[in-house]
Amino acid sequence: MEKPVSKNYFAEKDVEKKPYHQLVETEDFKDLLQKKKAFIVPVTIFFLTFYFVLPVLAASTDVLKGEAFLGITWAWVYALLQFVVVWIGGIVYLKKSEKYDKMAQNILTKYQKELGQ
């Protein structure tokens, strides 16, 4: 008979050997993860919604069939806006990731002694 799969990712004997296990349990690290999640989840939902609205609108409504300007339809404008949104999102993420990297470095510096480095 097989052993049931353990939900604990660290074997009890390995917990003492892995100093980063203690680091991920700190409030500083949990705060960092919470801040990252608070940014990443809504932005991901926005991007996925923005991306999938184009085919839904194009297939089921006439909203995007009208002329926007110079003979270009709203479908083309929306499709080109997707490129703009992706570039802006990428730039914003790069700026935010620098902030998160600094926070992570501060956490590592703060707990350097406990990590044995």
Side-chain angles (χ1 to χ4, degrees):
M1 184 174 229
E2 293 182 29
K3 284 183 7 180
V5 177
S6 172
K7 292 183 180 181
N8 186 1
Y9 296 106
F10 298 101
E12 291 298 322
K13 62 181 175 145
D14 294 335
V15 171
E16 299 87 37
K17 296 178 184 175
K18 299 195 183 294
Y20 287 100
H21 177 69
Q22 295 153 349
L23 180 67
V24 299
E25 297 297 325
T26 64
E27 289 301 317
D28 292 332
F29 189 80
K30 289 178 182 179
D31 184 49
L32 171 63
L33 289 182
Q34 192 275 331
K35 286 180 180 178
K36 284 177 68 174
K37 189 185 294 186
F39 172 73
I40 291 172
V41 170
V43 169
T44 301
I45 291 169
F46 168 76
F47 278 123
L48 289 175
T49 303
F50 189 75
Y51 176 78
F52 285 112
V53 164
L54 175 62
V56 169
L57 286 177
S60 61
T61 68
D62 291 336
V63 172
L64 300 177
K65 292 180 182 176
E67 184 178 329
F69 54 89
L70 302 174
I72 298 173
T73 63
W74 284 108
W76 281 101
V77 172
Y78 193 98
L80 293 173
L81 271 176
Q82 288 185 339
F83 288 99
V84 173
V85 168
V86 167
W87 276 96
I88 291 171
I91 292 168
V92 169
Y93 179 76
L94 284 175
K95 296 295 181 187
K96 290 289 254 183
S97 68
E98 289 173 5
K99 177 183 164 189
Y100 298 138
D101 288 345
K102 286 178 186 176
M103 290 174 68
Q105 186 60 48
N106 290 340
I107 292 169
L108 285 173
T109 303
K110 182 177 178 181
Y111 294 98
Q112 188 173 19
K113 191 181 287 186
E114 288 88 347
L115 295 172
Q117 294 177 347

